[in-house]
Amino acid sequence: MDFWPEFLASSWGREFVAGGFGGTAGVITGYPLDTLRILQQQSGKSGSAFSILRRVVGTEGPSALYRGMAAPFASVTFQNAIAFQTYAILSRVFDSNIVADDPPSYRAVALGGIGTGAMQSLLLSPVELIKIRLQLQQQTKERTSRSSIQKGPVDVAKFIFGTEGWRGMYRGLTITVLRDAPAHGVYFWTYEYMREQLHPGCRKNGQETFGTMLLAGGLAGVASWIGSYPLDVIKTKIQSQSLPLRYSGIFDCFTRIVRDEGYNVLWRGLGTAVTRAFIVNGTIFTAYEVALRCLFHDNGTPTENVV
C-alpha cells in the first residue's frame, strides 16, 4: 500500500510518471500526421501529402487517420516513462562527478540520449511494426486483393506470431536501433541546449516558460528527425512487408528502393514528419515538464511560475 506514495516521492518515480504524461500527449496530438507520413513513404513518386490526405479522408473517412493508434497508445505511457527515466539515469551515469543539484553536461546528455534510444528500441520496434501494418492494411489489401483485414493490434500480433513467430515481430529491430540511438542523442542534446539559450539558467532553476518548453521541444524533434529520416523510410519499407519478403536486409532495401525510385525516396514525407515532430515533441516536453513541476513538486516553487 505504501509503494506508490514512496515511488512518486522519488526522482525515479517522478521521471517515470511525467514521461508517461508526455508520451500520451504526443500520441494524441500527432497521430494523424504520423499516418500521413507512413502513407507517403509507401505511396510511390506521385503521392503528395495533400493528395493522400484528400484521398484517404474521401474514401475511408477521417477515422482512417487514426487507424492503428491503439498499439502505440496502449504502450506509449510505459514506453515514454521508461525512456525519460532511463535518460535521467544515464545522463547522470555519464557525468558521475556532477553535483546533485546541477544539470548534467551536454556531453552526458547526448550519451544518455544515445543509450536511451538504443534501449527503447527493444520495446518500440514491435509496437511500430504493428502500427505500420495497421496504417497500411487498406493499401496492402488493394495491392494484393486480400479480403481479410485485421481489426486491431491484437489481431495483427496474432497473425504475425502465427505466420512468422518472434522473428517476424522483431523484424526491423536493427534499423530501429540505428535510427533511434543517434536520434535520441540529438533529441535530448538539442532540447537541453535550446531551453538554456532561450531561458538562461533554466536548466538549474527550472523556471522556463511554456513558450520555451514548446519551442525547445519542437526544435529537438525536428533536429532528431532530419538526421534520421532516411533510416525511417528504410524501416517502414522493411516492417511493412509480410511473407514472402521483398527485401533480405537493410542494405538490400536501400539499394533496391534507390535504384527503383531514386535518392529522393529517402526524403519522401519529410515535410510531414518535420511538422509532426515540432508539434508532438513540443507537446511531449511541455507535458513532461509541467507534470514534474505541477504534480510532483516539493521544492516550494508555486505552479504559477510555469507560464
Side-chain angles (χ1 to χ4, degrees):
M1 295 296 292
D2 293 333
F3 172 77
W4 281 110
E6 292 179 2
F7 182 65
L8 294 179
S10 69
S11 61
W12 286 19
R14 294 176 185 181
E15 297 286 349
F16 186 89
V17 176
F21 273 101
T24 300
V27 171
I28 293 172
T29 57
Y31 197 82
L33 286 172
D34 183 69
T35 297
L36 189 58
R37 170 181 65 88
I38 295 297
L39 291 170
Q40 279 186 271
Q41 290 176 347
Q42 291 290 93
S43 65
K45 296 181 180 180
S46 61
S48 68
F50 181 74
S51 64
I52 292 172
L53 177 63
R54 185 173 58 182
R55 174 177 58 80
V56 170
V57 173
T59 58
E60 303 176 58
S63 62
L65 297 173
Y66 291 89
R67 183 182 296 126
M69 191 173 79
F73 195 80
S75 64
V76 75
T77 299
F78 180 75
Q79 171 198 321
N80 277 271
I82 290 294
F84 275 92
Q85 182 174 324
T86 301
Y87 163 71
I89 295 170
L90 290 180
S91 62
R92 294 279 171 176
V93 169
F94 287 117
D95 203 356
S96 57
N97 295 325
I98 192 173
V99 178
D101 293 334
D102 287 343
S105 67
Y106 290 125
R107 172 184 172 276
V109 164
L111 292 175
I114 291 171
T116 298
M119 295 175 66
Q120 179 183 260
S121 299
L122 295 172
L123 174 63
L124 187 63
S125 182
V127 171
E128 289 207 345
L129 183 144
I130 292 171
K131 175 183 70 70
I132 288 170
R133 295 288 183 88
L134 286 167
Q135 288 172 322
L136 295 175
Q137 68 175 353
Q138 186 64 33
Q139 186 183 89
T140 302
K141 178 186 175 184
E142 293 171 356
R143 186 171 61 247
T144 62
S145 300
R146 285 170 50 189
S147 59
S148 61
I149 289 290
Q150 284 90 39
K151 299 184 182 300
V154 175
D155 284 347
V156 173
K158 287 181 178 178
F159 177 80
I160 296 172
F161 268 122
T163 56
E164 304 177 64
W166 280 104
R167 184 172 184 176
M169 284 298 298
Y170 274 92
R171 177 174 298 119
L173 174 61
T174 301
I175 191 69
T176 303
V177 173
L178 292 175
R179 180 196 69 170
D180 282 2
H184 276 70
V186 172
Y187 180 63
F188 283 108
W189 184 93
T190 302
Y191 177 71
E192 294 291 347
Y193 178 80
M194 289 307 305
R195 68 190 284 232
E196 186 68 19
Q197 296 303 306
L198 293 168
H199 200 128
C202 70
R203 293 189 70 218
K204 187 167 183 177
N205 61 36
Q207 297 302 303
E208 68 263 49
T209 64
F210 276 132
T212 296
M213 297 176 197
L214 286 167
L215 184 56
L219 291 174
V222 170
S224 66
W225 269 102
I226 288 176
S228 65
Y229 194 76
L231 293 173
D232 184 69
V233 173
I234 296 172
K235 186 183 81 69
T236 296
K237 298 285 188 182
I238 289 174
Q239 290 191 315
S240 65
Q241 60 181 344
S242 55
L243 297 177
L245 300 181
R246 181 179 181 185
Y247 308 111
S248 61
I250 297 171
F251 184 73
D252 179 56
C253 179
F254 168 76
T255 55
R256 292 180 64 179
I257 64 174
V258 169
R259 181 193 64 199
D260 295 342
E261 304 179 61
Y263 283 100
N264 286 341
V265 68
L266 298 174
W267 302 101
R268 184 182 297 146
L270 177 62
T272 302
V274 167
T275 302
R276 171 187 172 273
F278 188 88
I279 296 171
V280 168
N281 291 285
T283 302
I284 286 175
F285 272 111
T286 301
Y288 168 76
E289 297 286 0
V290 169
L292 282 180
R293 289 159 175 73
C294 296
L295 299 180
F296 309 114
H297 71 291
D298 61 2
N299 58 2
T301 302
T303 58
E304 288 80 7
N305 283 343
V306 185
V307 295

